[in-house]
Amino acid sequence: LEHTVSLRETLPRLRAMWSSQLELGLSVEAKVRRMVGRDEGTTQSRSRFGWITPDLVACGDGRPGARSGRVVAVYGNSFAKRLGEAIESVAPDVVVCQVTAPLATQSWAFAAWQEAHDRIDADVDVFTVTSGRVLYTASMSPMVHLAQPYVYFNPRYRLDSERLTRIDPVIQTLEDLRIALYSDATLWRRQRQQLADHDPFFDPFVFDASVFDRLALTCIARRVRSKLTRHRASRRVLGRSGFRDESEEIGLIRAMIGEFARVSRECQRTPIVCLVSLLGHGTRLQRAVEEVVHSENVPTVSSHEICPPNDASCFFGENGHFTRSKDIEIARAVLSLADRHRTLS
């Protein structure tokens, strides 16, 4: 009897686990349609994150660059968001403007900086670069990566004779996406073709919906294909000794750091680059960008000096972020570096 009761309790859990695993293998298009409904009431809240629009900026007092205190603008992903929150907690007189998105790549952060920096009267611009997102620098959206549940797009950057060029996405707002999904199929096809032409992670088998979407074998095959695509990209960008100097992604990030520093200085601000090394990633990121950091004389805070990438106690196990105390230490390092460069009085 005890075994029968135990089995009855276990089977629903197993079914739920199996169902959730299959959900991960649904096509990108099917997932997007589940997240984005025909109106706001049928659209999941996370679909609203990450769109590079004028209302992207979130400042401490609600106004971009309000002069109620010293102003620090922080650009990047969730690590940047946590950094901004830590700066606010240790320096209440500082107005922090956060320009961030979940799973943001360096391309997203750079595009957001281009969009927002003219509207923020900042003393300090902080551009975060995360070792775990380097791989996706040439990607136009987290939606093309099967397990990443966000639907925004960002520009695709390329290097032309060492100068950055930019290809803007066809779909630039949530409303554009809703129209593409439910009113204008041509718009969706144009965006899909742009991804096929410019995003190295695009795979039609993974992306396109089909009548076989919910078959277990199809879902499993998609997950395998998605992992293989990521593995190939990883081998292209990452070698045994670190990031490959010749990879497009590293070239783009170096160019972004250089332009970010030059333009921020032209605007009479202090540019600070915050390098974020994840658990187990060593100093590969620092080594990859040290040449441009030195040649452009960019003030830099590197997390590996505060949170050794081989010390698991510095990180939250469930999400890979730094512990709160380490966020605070990094925030203090950023403020101290800004003080040394005579931007924050």
Side-chain angles (χ1 to χ4, degrees):
L1 183 60
E2 290 180 3
H3 291 297
T4 303
V5 172
S6 177
L7 187 60
R8 286 176 180 172
E9 293 175 346
T10 302
L11 282 176
R13 295 197 196 101
L14 292 175
R15 290 195 193 99
M17 290 173 58
W18 176 247
S19 177
S20 66
Q21 291 301 306
L22 293 183
E23 289 285 318
L24 291 174
L26 287 178
S27 67
V28 168
E29 184 178 359
K31 288 180 179 177
V32 172
R33 289 183 182 275
R34 293 182 64 172
M35 291 177 64
V36 180
R38 294 179 180 273
D39 52 47
E40 287 295 312
T42 55
T43 297
Q44 295 182 21
S45 59
R46 62 186 176 184
S47 301
R48 300 178 180 89
F49 298 134
W51 297 97
I52 301 175
T53 57
D55 60 355
L56 177 69
V57 180
C59 288
D61 64 356
R63 291 176 293 158
R67 301 308 308 187
S68 59
R70 303 169 295 173
V71 181
V72 175
V74 184
Y75 300 88
N77 54 27
S78 56
F79 284 91
K81 186 175 188 299
R82 291 173 64 90
L83 172 61
E85 292 168 351
I87 291 174
E88 287 179 324
S89 69
V90 301
D93 61 319
V94 171
V95 175
V96 177
C97 292
Q98 296 183 13
V99 188
T100 63
L103 298 178
T105 64
Q106 269 51 73
S107 290
W108 186 95
F110 189 73
W113 167 75
Q114 289 181 317
E115 165 68 27
H117 85 277
D118 283 340
R119 295 187 293 107
I120 303 175
D121 186 14
D123 300 292
V124 180
D125 285 338
V126 182
F127 185 67
T128 59
V129 183
T130 307
S131 63
R133 303 305 292 164
V134 169
L135 184 64
Y136 305 103
T137 302
S139 186
M140 296 189 73
S141 175
M143 75 160 58
V144 300
H145 316 297
L146 199 59
Q148 298 185 1
Y150 293 95
V151 297
Y152 62 83
F153 294 92
N154 56 258
R156 170 69 153 100
Y157 291 92
R158 291 188 184 276
L159 278 174
D160 182 7
S161 301
E162 298 187 353
R163 296 187 62 183
L164 285 167
T165 62
R166 168 172 166 158
I167 302 168
D168 285 320
V170 173
I171 294 173
Q172 299 188 17
T173 67
L174 179 57
E175 186 56 33
D176 286 346
L177 179 57
R178 189 176 286 120
I179 291 170
L181 292 173
Y182 300 108
S183 303
D184 186 355
T186 301
L187 187 60
W188 179 252
R189 286 195 294 270
R190 285 173 56 206
Q191 182 61 77
R192 180 195 178 283
Q193 187 59 51
Q194 186 183 56
L195 294 173
D197 292 341
H198 298 291
D199 195 315
F201 287 90
F202 179 83
D203 180 341
F205 177 68
V206 172
F207 191 88
D208 295 336
S210 76
V211 294
F212 305 109
D213 241 18
R214 294 188 171 278
L215 289 181
L217 187 60
T218 304
C219 292
I220 293 170
R222 277 204 191 96
R223 294 188 67 187
V224 171
R225 275 278 284 267
S226 182
K227 289 179 180 179
L228 286 174
T229 298
R230 187 185 183 283
H231 179 67
R232 285 195 296 270
S234 181
R235 291 184 61 184
R236 178 172 49 80
V237 177
L238 187 62
R240 290 184 178 181
S241 60
F243 291 117
R244 299 183 189 276
D245 284 343
E246 70 276 10
S247 69
E248 181 185 18
E249 289 77 1
I250 292 301
L252 287 171
I253 290 172
R254 288 169 174 166
M256 289 172 185
I257 289 173
E259 185 167 332
F260 162 78
R262 287 190 295 272
V263 173
S264 289
R265 287 192 176 111
E266 289 171 3
C267 296
Q268 304 301 310
R269 306 173 186 183
T270 293
I272 293 180
V273 169
C274 184
L275 302 177
V276 177
S277 293
L278 304 189
L279 182 63
H281 285 199
T283 59
R284 63 179 69 155
L285 179 58
Q286 291 71 27
R287 288 183 280 115
V289 301
E290 62 183 355
E291 182 178 342
V292 67
V293 164
H294 290 149
S295 65
E296 297 289 343
N297 193 28
V298 185
T300 303
V301 171
S302 183
S303 72
H304 83 283
E305 298 174 346
I306 299 169
C307 311
N310 61 348
D311 184 355
S313 68
C314 295
F315 300 83
F316 283 121
E318 65 272 19
N319 58 26
H321 287 119
F322 301 127
T323 61
R324 177 63 175 168
S325 63
K326 292 301 180 182
D327 283 334
I328 295 294
E329 285 187 55
I330 295 172
R332 292 188 188 281
V334 168
L335 292 172
S336 175
L337 186 60
D339 281 335
R340 291 204 299 274
H341 284 264
R342 299 171 183 249
T343 299
L344 297 182
S345 59

